[in-house]
Amino acid sequence: MEAAKKLGIDISSLCGGKGTCGKCKVKVQNGIEGLNPLTEQELDHLSKDEIETDFRLACQAKLTLPSTILVPEMSRVGKQRLQTEGLEVPVELNPLVKKYFVKLPKPTLHDARSDEDRLLDSLKDEHGRQGFLDFEIAKDLPIVLRESDWAVTAVMWGDRIVAVERGDTTDRCFGFAVDIGTTKLAGFLVDLNKGNVVSVVARANPQIPFGEDVMSRIAYAMTGGWNALNELQKAVMSGINEMIEECCKKAGSKHDEVYELCFAGNTCMQLLFLGLWPRHVAFSPYPPVLRRGVDTEASKLGLKSHKNANAHFLPVIGGFVGADSVADIMAVKMLESDETIMDIDIGTNTEIALGNKDLVITDSCASGPAFEGMEIKHGMRAATGAIEKISIDPKTLEINYRTIDDTPAVGICGSGLIDVLAELLKSGIVDIKGTFVKEMTKQTNRLRQGADGWEFVLAWKDETKTNTDIAITQGDIRELQKAKAAMHSGADILMKRMNVTENDIDKLYIAGAFGNYIDPENARTIGVYPEMPIDKIHFVGNTAGTGARMCLASREMREYAEEISKKVKYFELAADPDFQTEYINSIYLPHVNLNKYPITKGLLQRLGHLPL
Amino acid sequence: MALKEEVLKKLVQAVVDGNVEQAESAARESVNAGVEPYKAIIDGLSKGMEVVGEKYDAKEYFLPELLMAGDAMYAGLNVLLPLLPKREAGGKGTVVLGVVEGDIHDIGKNIVKAMLTASGYRVVDLGKDVPVDEFIRRAKEEGAQVIAMSTLMTPTLLSIQTVEEKLKAEGLKGKVKTIIGGGSVSDGWRERSGSDAYGKDAMEAVSKVKLLIESVKAAALQLKDSEKQKPKEEEGT
């Protein structure tokens, strides 16, 4: 796998190279004699046929001789759909970074002011700004001033002059906002003079090989110590630097024209990004290290922007509810709202916020990567060939599906998985407990016993790219039930705490990259979130990115973020005595108590799957 | 005879169906039918739980069914346990059981507790989020032969290692055996942490605990025997 990485080949690595997901199967075309013997993990994941035809797991097989390895379609990640768009929230442009062009009078015998005083005085006289010079700038200040014939641009961060540039560069002033997701990074290059986004780019988070989820990344640091923490920090920086470079290239700007960077991410991402010891946030009572917004030198972190650029990480709330949630709450203006709003940011960790201008409470649910395709037999991330939409005719049980980029199916991704579960429930192939209804074998040959137990075939092998039947197994359904139960019980507990029901919620915002692609009705039918009319549900996309951009564009927004971080209450789900019960109740599709789901209940009754 | 068989079947079904009322009434029925309480537990309730375990492994049953089966089993045990002679009710050995510090997921742990209790072991349930020192302190206090630890999460695996280290430090390794289980645990982790056994589910936990307790008792007996030997040898010479 390391060799492939060096060559820029994208081999699937859902488990981060531990040998537990079995998704990195490769075929050794020559050089097999130089490989290590099969490991236990390989014996678990490779079939007898595969072993006989020289298949290995890329993360387990070690090369010692030059070899030729074939990476089959099913093990490739392909072009991922890395959604970055989020709600656009206009703010009054008032960034911390500002540029001022000044023409200084030359020194004379009558005016022998120091270079610094000369500069500061002009700034005050021409622009009304009181600044102070960063010592580092003083070093070549005299050269810069004289080489530009005393016409220079002072770059200020707050009151600090962080650069003095030759001539008038006031129109070249950029900032970079990043949403550091557990699974994907989204980067936005912002023109700080106009406040608009000039280019956008996304990347998979390079920390993934160290752990698919936050807990395993923290465990990696715990066992590896400071070296491991440095590795994790370097990994995310490399992804961010790549994004900066790509964005600048697209926009025709240079990385040293980026004077400030603003970051949002959950608390674990914050700790790993800043290089703070992350162990204790993983254990009850899950206290963060720093709650406030953090300003530090971007170059010290290893970021490739202007050498004196500032890096600002938004404040966090608590536990794993981090700066991403602060950003979400900021973007949907929850603290100003008269209406009661619930905001669900769906991801590997799902954060839920509930409230209005009087009170906002939050919690974090370990929804896990099932909706990202992990632990699902034919699961994959949203990339080329992934079944992303699927429907089952309730009468004929015929299947219709669509794949990303319309190529032959390779597997199924999150939005497809939600569709499948809803459609299976609606067609009576699966009951509300999530169990396959065996009698349905009489009506469809897609329901059958496979190598891993009962399964339902979505695409027969001649339709697929991988030449294997793509099916969803009973085990897959259980994993999806667990994931959605986590989210749903997270929402239920907050509602209970606030003494509201789904009928009291005026708006449900679904945030997170994944959210924009899912079918809201199907998600509601299986109980991903509480039942409410579709017109109350709004997809807002990557609002963590929105919040990061808002803070980049406006210093007032940073104060607002601080306010949110202090005001919003965090609840630890694990500490709630009802959590386990609510979780179990939410395992059912949509819920054990169907009276909470009158719309779905009615639908299932009409379709004949529930008694009237 | 037929009536006894029938009532045992009812007990099995009550657990398989997760029916608390049925479990309770079948338990009472078994007493009235003259079935020995011990037999009602093992051939009725535990048998039912084994069936549930098989269905869970096949993914036919999932967490709600497991929880309900556990509730039904406890309902039956509440009726039958008080009727057991002292020797059979917990006389086989003592197990200290809990979910490790930092973790609160206890459904699996509760099933293990039900099965161990049903099999005649005295279970001291420490609950969830149990500090490392608490496991050891209570094991000493209660004279336990086994410490059973469960966890679902990854970072909490390290607590298991700490318990092993502390047991070694106190010279208790071997005198008190350890068994681990839970969603994030594996036999590989057992090797790394130095625990004595790993149970992949409640059924396996019971059979492994049996072996662990037997080995602890055998070791204790050997120690006693070798101490008895010494004076005899001296007399002989």
Side-chain angles (χ1 to χ4, degrees):
Chain A
M1 190 167 275
E2 279 165 32
K5 257 192 238 167
K6 288 201 179 124
L7 293 168
I9 295 165
D10 55 345
I11 301 184
S12 198
S13 169
L14 286 178
C15 71
K18 292 205 196 88
T20 55
C21 73
K23 302 272 187 192
C24 62
K25 291 182 187 163
V26 294
K27 191 178 156 86
V28 184
Q29 297 199 306
N30 58 57
I32 192 137
E33 24 348 319
L35 289 176
N36 54 328
L38 286 158
T39 66
E40 220 182 280
Q41 289 93 331
E42 290 181 290
L43 291 169
D44 277 340
H45 289 285
L46 296 167
S47 69
K48 201 165 72 129
D49 283 333
E50 283 170 337
I51 295 175
E52 279 169 6
T53 48
D54 292 345
F55 269 88
R56 299 294 302 261
L57 288 183
C59 66
Q60 302 291 304
K62 293 195 175 60
L63 302 163
T64 55
L65 299 172
S67 314
T68 312
I69 312 282
L70 175 73
V71 183
E73 208 50 53
M74 65 187 178
S75 304
R76 301 210 62 181
V77 173
K79 219 168 45 133
Q80 282 187 46
R81 171 196 285 150
L82 296 169
Q83 186 261 358
T84 50
E85 306 86 55
L87 202 62
E88 276 305 320
V89 180
V91 293
E92 181 127 3
L93 192 62
N94 186 17
L96 268 157
V97 176
K98 295 218 170 92
K99 280 189 165 190
Y100 301 95
F101 177 63
V102 280
K103 268 193 92 62
L104 309 182
K106 282 199 196 139
T108 64
L109 279 173
H110 303 289
D111 172 18
R113 280 177 295 168
S114 69
D115 291 347
E116 181 188 47
D117 283 337
R118 190 172 305 275
L119 175 65
L120 296 183
D121 289 341
S122 279
L123 256 180
K124 187 139 148 261
D125 295 337
E126 286 183 49
H127 297 286
R129 287 302 307 265
Q130 194 102 326
F132 65 93
L133 198 72
D134 199 73
F135 173 69
E136 285 300 310
I137 314 290
K139 293 184 175 171
D140 64 349
L141 177 66
I143 303 174
V144 172
L145 289 174
R146 287 158 182 84
E147 276 185 2
S148 40
D149 205 21
W150 303 95
V152 291
T153 304
V155 185
M156 296 181 75
W157 183 75
D159 291 334
R160 197 165 93 220
I161 302 174
V162 296
V164 176
E165 296 173 344
R166 294 163 172 71
D168 187 349
T169 61
T170 50
D171 62 339
R172 315 284 307 163
C173 189
F174 298 94
F176 199 69
V178 184
D179 165 35
I180 305 181
T182 309
T183 299
K184 78 150 189 40
L185 311 174
F188 309 83
L189 184 66
V190 176
D191 182 328
L192 292 176
N193 286 325
K194 303 196 196 94
N196 64 316
V197 175
V198 286
S199 60
V200 184
V201 84
R203 277 284 181 291
N205 189 330
Q207 289 174 342
I208 292 173
F210 300 102
E212 184 75 28
D213 61 288
V214 293
M215 282 304 195
S216 34
R217 278 177 224 179
I218 293 178
Y220 182 78
M222 279 163 66
T223 41
W226 290 101
N227 281 340
L229 185 58
N230 282 336
E231 270 185 277
L232 287 160
Q233 190 185 33
K234 276 209 181 81
V236 72
M237 289 313 157
S238 75
I240 297 169
N241 284 336
E242 271 179 39
M243 292 198 298
I244 296 174
E245 205 180 304
E246 198 179 316
C247 270
C248 284
K249 217 157 135 197
K250 278 207 255 186
S253 61
K254 296 193 270 249
H255 67 83
D256 55 8
E257 289 173 328
V258 176
Y259 299 96
E260 183 161 45
L261 306 100
C262 228
F263 300 90
N266 69 46
T267 315
C268 172
M269 294 301 108
Q270 179 226 36
L271 294 166
L272 300 181
F273 174 82
L274 294 174
L276 307 176
W277 189 244
R279 184 192 196 277
H280 302 277
V281 81
F283 294 87
S284 181
Y286 317 96
V289 174
L290 297 175
R291 179 205 48 78
R292 59 175 168 94
V294 174
D295 287 305
T296 186
E297 291 171 46
S299 53
K300 264 212 185 122
L301 290 175
L303 287 166
K304 295 210 173 84
S305 44
H306 185 273
K307 64 183 194 311
N308 289 332
N310 181 60
H312 176 81
F313 206 105
L314 266 62
V316 303
I317 292 170
F320 286 111
V321 176
D324 48 355
S325 303
V326 169
D328 289 342
I329 292 170
M330 188 188 299
V332 303
K333 306 196 180 182
M334 221 182 263
L335 284 192
E336 280 124 54
S337 169
D338 290 313
E339 295 182 308
T340 299
I341 297 178
M342 176 177 274
D343 183 296
I344 304 181
D345 189 336
I346 299 181
T348 311
N349 284 85
T350 295
E351 287 85 36
I352 306 182
L354 171 65
N356 54 33
K357 65 181 198 300
D358 299 322
L359 174 66
V360 174
I361 58 178
T362 59
D363 64 23
S364 172
C365 327
S367 26
F371 286 126
E372 309 270 0
M374 188 167 172
E375 303 292 342
I376 306 292
K377 185 168 181 185
H378 294 281
M380 59 185 284
R381 297 219 188 95
T384 309
I387 295 174
E388 56 162 350
K389 272 207 119 30
I390 184 164
S391 64
I392 304 177
D393 186 304
K395 294 213 179 66
T396 65
L397 300 179
E398 262 318 296
I399 297 217
N400 259 305
Y401 63 79
R402 191 178 77 208
T403 61
I404 295 180
D405 293 335
D406 291 310
T407 60
V410 175
I412 181 165
C413 68
S415 55
L417 289 166
I418 290 195
D419 277 356
V420 153
L421 208 47
E423 295 294 303
L424 286 173
L425 183 67
K426 289 193 281 183
S427 53
I429 295 171
V430 147
D431 63 20
I432 60 167
K433 289 186 182 173
T435 313
F436 278 123
V437 177
K438 313 301 184 293
E439 291 79 62
M440 295 300 283
T441 48
K442 297 191 196 125
Q443 296 192 40
T444 170
N445 63 342
R446 288 181 184 266
L447 182 62
R448 66 182 190 191
Q449 287 247 39
D452 298 302
W454 283 93
E455 62 181 22
F456 184 84
V457 179
L458 304 170
W460 299 104
K461 63 161 150 308
D462 45 7
E463 297 162 42
T464 68
K465 188 124 193 216
T466 55
N467 208 33
T468 35
D469 294 334
I470 292 179
I472 184 163
T473 68
Q474 181 70 79
D476 292 340
I477 295 180
R478 299 308 186 196
E479 290 302 317
L480 293 168
Q481 282 176 281
K482 285 199 281 194
K484 78 100 185 166
M487 292 179 210
H488 192 274
S489 51
D492 270 345
I493 298 277
L494 281 185
M495 289 195 291
K496 187 186 65 143
R497 288 259 174 182
M498 207 166 234
N499 218 2
V500 300
T501 68
E502 36 274 302
N503 300 321
D504 301 313
I505 297 178
D506 299 304
K507 284 203 173 77
L508 174 61
Y509 287 118
I510 306 290
F514 169 68
N516 273 21
Y517 291 92
I518 67 180
D519 180 315
E521 240 184 276
N522 280 341
R524 184 186 66 187
T525 300
I526 61 172
V528 169
Y529 40 73
E531 188 171 88
M532 51 193 91
I534 295 293
D535 59 9
K536 279 192 184 177
I537 303 176
H538 307 270
F539 288 102
V540 290
N542 188 347
T543 40
T546 305
R549 293 199 302 278
M550 286 165 77
C551 286
L552 188 60
S554 154
R555 59 200 308 174
E556 282 80 22
M557 286 298 118
R558 289 183 213 197
E559 284 158 27
Y560 187 41
E562 208 48 51
E563 210 188 299
I564 292 174
S565 140
K566 285 193 194 137
K567 265 193 171 167
V568 172
K569 296 259 164 294
Y570 167 68
F571 281 108
E572 176 51 46
L573 279 181
D576 193 303
D578 294 337
F579 171 60
Q580 235 180 182
T581 313
E582 290 296 344
Y583 177 73
I584 301 277
N585 290 342
S586 301
I587 292 257
Y588 288 78
L589 306 170
H591 193 266
V592 72
N593 181 0
L594 285 167
N595 292 327
K596 282 163 68 84
Y597 276 81
I599 301 178
T600 299
K601 180 176 175 187
L603 176 64
L604 293 175
Q605 282 171 333
R606 282 198 304 281
L607 290 167
H609 307 307
L610 279 180
L612 289 160
Chain B
M1 229 1 172
L3 184 62
K4 284 189 183 174
E5 290 300 315
E6 240 185 78
V7 99
L8 283 175
K9 281 210 181 101
K10 274 195 194 164
L11 277 168
V12 170
Q13 202 56 45
V15 173
V16 170
D17 292 341
N19 189 327
V20 165
E21 290 84 22
Q22 176 86 323
E24 240 182 287
S25 68
R28 289 186 215 285
E29 229 186 284
S30 75
V31 175
N32 293 338
V35 178
E36 273 171 33
Y38 186 66
K39 194 168 160 71
I41 292 176
I42 296 297
D43 292 339
L45 300 174
S46 293
K47 189 100 222 287
M49 195 49 107
E50 275 177 42
V51 174
V52 170
E54 281 162 25
K55 286 185 186 256
Y56 183 76
D57 279 340
K59 318 265 179 181
E60 277 296 303
Y61 270 16
F62 199 39
L63 295 166
E65 288 86 354
L66 205 64
L67 190 68
M68 294 188 330
D71 286 344
M73 187 157 179
Y74 275 116
L77 285 174
N78 281 340
V79 172
L80 298 169
L81 280 176
L83 303 173
L84 287 178
K86 244 309 176 27
R87 181 183 49 84
E88 276 162 18
K92 281 183 166 174
T94 302
V95 178
V96 157
L97 170 71
V99 177
V100 303
E101 194 169 9
D103 192 345
I104 47 76
H105 302 89
D106 64 357
I107 296 174
K109 185 265 294 171
N110 290 339
I111 307 279
V112 170
K113 174 182 171 183
M115 290 300 274
L116 285 174
T117 309
S119 304
Y121 300 98
R122 182 169 80 96
V123 178
V124 179
D125 183 1
L126 301 179
K128 40 199 184 182
D129 193 16
V130 181
V132 164
D133 292 325
E134 184 74 1
F135 276 111
I136 299 180
R137 185 177 72 82
R138 295 299 300 274
K140 288 200 277 197
E141 256 174 38
E142 308 281 346
Q145 289 84 15
V146 175
I147 293 179
M149 298 175 278
S150 151
T151 182
L152 188 67
M153 295 158 54
T154 328
T156 40
L157 286 174
L158 295 179
S159 303
I160 293 176
Q161 217 162 8
T162 317
V163 168
E164 301 295 340
E165 285 162 11
K166 290 219 164 159
L167 281 175
K168 242 190 226 147
E170 298 204 22
L172 287 171
K173 197 88 190 102
K175 297 194 188 126
V176 176
K177 299 251 166 165
T178 53
I179 179 169
I180 59 177
S184 57
V185 182
S186 64
D187 203 49
W189 188 262
R190 184 199 61 75
E191 272 181 56
R192 271 188 73 172
S193 60
S195 304
D196 297 301
Y198 160 67
K200 74 169 175 61
D201 55 35
M203 265 55 69
E204 207 175 81
V206 172
S207 55
K208 297 244 171 112
V209 162
K210 178 168 187 276
L211 295 171
L212 290 177
I213 294 189
E214 278 172 7
S215 74
V216 169
K217 289 192 170 169
L221 263 172
Q222 260 190 345
L223 202 59
K224 258 200 193 149
D225 277 347
S226 64
E227 280 171 1
K228 279 196 198 142
Q229 291 281 349
K230 285 203 212 111
K232 275 203 175 132
E233 282 166 9
E234 284 167 10
E235 268 179 45
T237 51

